[in-house]
Coordinates of all heavy atoms in Angstrom, one line a residue:
E380 N 76.3 99.4 114.6 CA 76.4 98.0 114.8 C 75.2 97.6 115.7 O 75.0 98.2 116.8 CB 77.7 97.6 115.5 CG 78.9 98.0 114.7 CD 78.9 97.4 113.3 OE1 78.7 96.2 113.2 OE2 79.3 98.1 112.3
E381 N 74.5 96.6 115.4 CA 73.3 96.2 116.1 C 73.6 95.4 117.4 O 72.7 95.4 118.3 CB 72.4 95.3 115.2 CG 71.8 96.0 114.0 CD 70.9 95.1 113.2 OE1 70.7 94.0 113.5 OE2 70.3 95.7 112.2
D382 N 74.8 94.9 117.5 CA 75.1 94.1 118.7 C 75.9 94.8 119.7 O 76.3 94.3 120.8 CB 75.8 92.8 118.3 CG 77.1 93.0 117.5 OD1 77.2 94.1 116.8 OD2 78.0 92.2 117.5
L383 N 76.3 96.1 119.4 CA 77.2 96.8 120.3 C 76.6 98.2 120.7 O 76.0 98.8 119.8 CB 78.6 97.1 119.6 CG 79.3 95.9 119.1 CD1 80.6 96.3 118.3 CD2 79.8 95.0 120.3
E384 N 76.8 98.6 121.9 CA 76.2 99.8 122.4 C 77.3 100.6 123.1 O 77.8 100.1 124.1 CB 75.0 99.6 123.3 CG 74.5 100.9 123.9 CD 73.4 100.6 125.0 OE1 73.2 99.4 125.4 OE2 72.8 101.6 125.5
V385 N 77.6 101.8 122.6 CA 78.6 102.6 123.3 C 77.9 103.3 124.5 O 77.0 104.1 124.3 CB 79.2 103.7 122.4 CG1 80.2 104.6 123.1 CG2 79.9 103.0 121.2
V386 N 78.4 103.0 125.7 CA 77.7 103.6 126.9 C 78.6 104.7 127.5 O 78.2 105.4 128.5 CB 77.6 102.5 128.0 CG1 76.5 101.5 127.5 CG2 78.9 101.8 128.4
G387 N 79.7 105.0 126.8 CA 80.5 106.1 127.3 C 81.7 106.3 126.4 O 82.3 105.3 125.9
D388 N 82.1 107.5 126.1 CA 83.3 107.8 125.4 C 84.0 109.0 126.1 O 83.4 110.1 126.3 CB 83.1 108.2 123.9 CG 82.3 109.5 123.7 OD1 81.1 109.5 123.9 OD2 82.9 110.5 123.2
V389 N 85.2 108.7 126.6 CA 85.9 109.7 127.5 C 87.3 109.9 127.0 O 87.9 109.1 126.2 CB 85.9 109.2 128.9 CG1 84.5 109.1 129.5 CG2 86.6 107.8 129.1
G390 N 88.0 110.9 127.5 CA 89.3 111.2 127.0 C 90.4 111.1 128.0 O 91.5 111.5 127.7
S391 N 90.1 110.5 129.2 CA 91.2 110.4 130.2 C 90.9 109.2 131.0 O 89.8 108.6 131.1 CB 91.2 111.6 131.1 OG 90.1 111.7 132.0
A392 N 92.0 108.7 131.7 CA 91.9 107.6 132.7 C 91.0 107.8 133.8 O 90.1 107.0 134.2 CB 93.3 107.2 133.1
A393 N 91.0 109.1 134.3 CA 90.1 109.4 135.5 C 88.7 109.3 135.1 O 87.8 108.8 135.8 CB 90.5 110.8 136.0
E394 N 88.3 109.8 133.9 CA 86.9 109.7 133.4 C 86.5 108.3 133.2 O 85.4 107.9 133.4 CB 86.8 110.5 132.1 CG 86.9 112.0 132.3 CD 86.9 112.7 130.9 OE1 87.8 112.4 130.1 OE2 86.1 113.6 130.8
A395 N 87.5 107.5 132.7 CA 87.2 106.0 132.4 C 86.9 105.3 133.7 O 86.0 104.5 133.8 CB 88.4 105.4 131.7
I396 N 87.7 105.6 134.8 CA 87.4 104.9 136.1 C 86.1 105.3 136.6 O 85.3 104.5 137.2 CB 88.5 105.2 137.1 CG1 89.8 104.5 136.6 CG2 88.2 104.7 138.5 CD1 89.8 103.0 136.5

Side-chain angles (χ1 to χ4, degrees):
E380 305 300 316
E381 296 182 355
D382 58 332
L383 303 173
E384 176 188 10
V385 178
V386 295
D388 66 287
V389 297
S391 70
E394 291 173 304
I396 293 300

